[in-house]
Amino acid sequence: MNTGSDEPGEVAVASDETRTDGAHSEQGLGSRAPEFIKTRRVLHLSWQVGVFVVGLAVVGAGIVMLPLPGPGWVVIFGGMAIWATEFVWAQIVLRWTKRKVTEAAQRALDPRVRRRNIILTTIGLVIVAVIGGIYVWKFGIVMPWKIEDQ
C-alpha cells in the first residue's frame, strides 16, 4: 500500500480542498484513529478491518430493516458514518448524501412547493372521499362478521 511516504508507520491523509462555498473543512478526509494506532501499521490495518466489519454489520442490519419494521435508512446512514471514521470513500459518500438531503429539505420548505403539495393532497383526499361515498351509497356497508346471529 502506497502511503505517499518512505517512512514506516506513516499513513496518508487526504485533505478536503473542494467545498461548494469555497471554505476549507475544519477536519480533512482520512482516518480518525488514535495516533498510537496510526503509528503501528499492523494495528492500524486491524483497526480498519474492525471498523469495516462493524460498519458492515450496521449497514446489513439497516438493509434488513428496510422491508421489516425499524428505522432502516437511519441505521444504514449510521453504518456509513461508522465507515466514514476510517475510509475516505465513505466520507465522500456521506458528505454527498448530507448535501443532497439538505438541498431536498430546503426545496421541501419552499412556500410554493408546500402550497402545491397541500393542494395536491387535498384534491387526492377529496377524490378518495367521493369514490368512498359512491361505493357506500351503491353497495352499503357490510361488515365481514354477523353480529346479529350471536
Side-chain angles (χ1 to χ4, degrees), residues 48-60:
Q48 285 182 328
V49 168
V51 167
F52 184 78
V53 168
V54 170
L56 186 64
V58 173
V59 168

Side-chain angles (χ1 to χ4, degrees), residues 59-138:
V59 168
I63 290 171
V64 168
M65 285 185 210
L66 287 176
L68 299 176
W73 285 110
V74 174
V75 175
I76 289 173
F77 291 131
M80 287 297 296
I82 291 171
W83 278 339
T85 63
E86 196 58 35
F87 302 108
V88 174
W89 61 267
Q91 293 169 1
I92 292 169
V93 169
L94 203 58
R95 287 181 182 180
W96 178 84
T97 304
K98 285 179 184 178
R99 188 174 67 245
K100 290 298 180 183
V101 167
T102 303
E103 290 171 3
Q106 288 174 349
R107 280 195 310 265
L109 294 176
D110 182 23
R112 290 179 299 185
V113 173
R114 291 184 70 209
R115 190 174 323 115
R116 183 197 66 199
N117 289 345
I118 289 171
I119 290 170
L120 289 175
T121 302
T122 304
I123 290 171
L125 288 174
V126 167
I127 290 172
V128 167
V130 167
I131 291 172
I134 291 172
Y135 179 84
V136 168
W137 175 67
K138 187 159 182 113

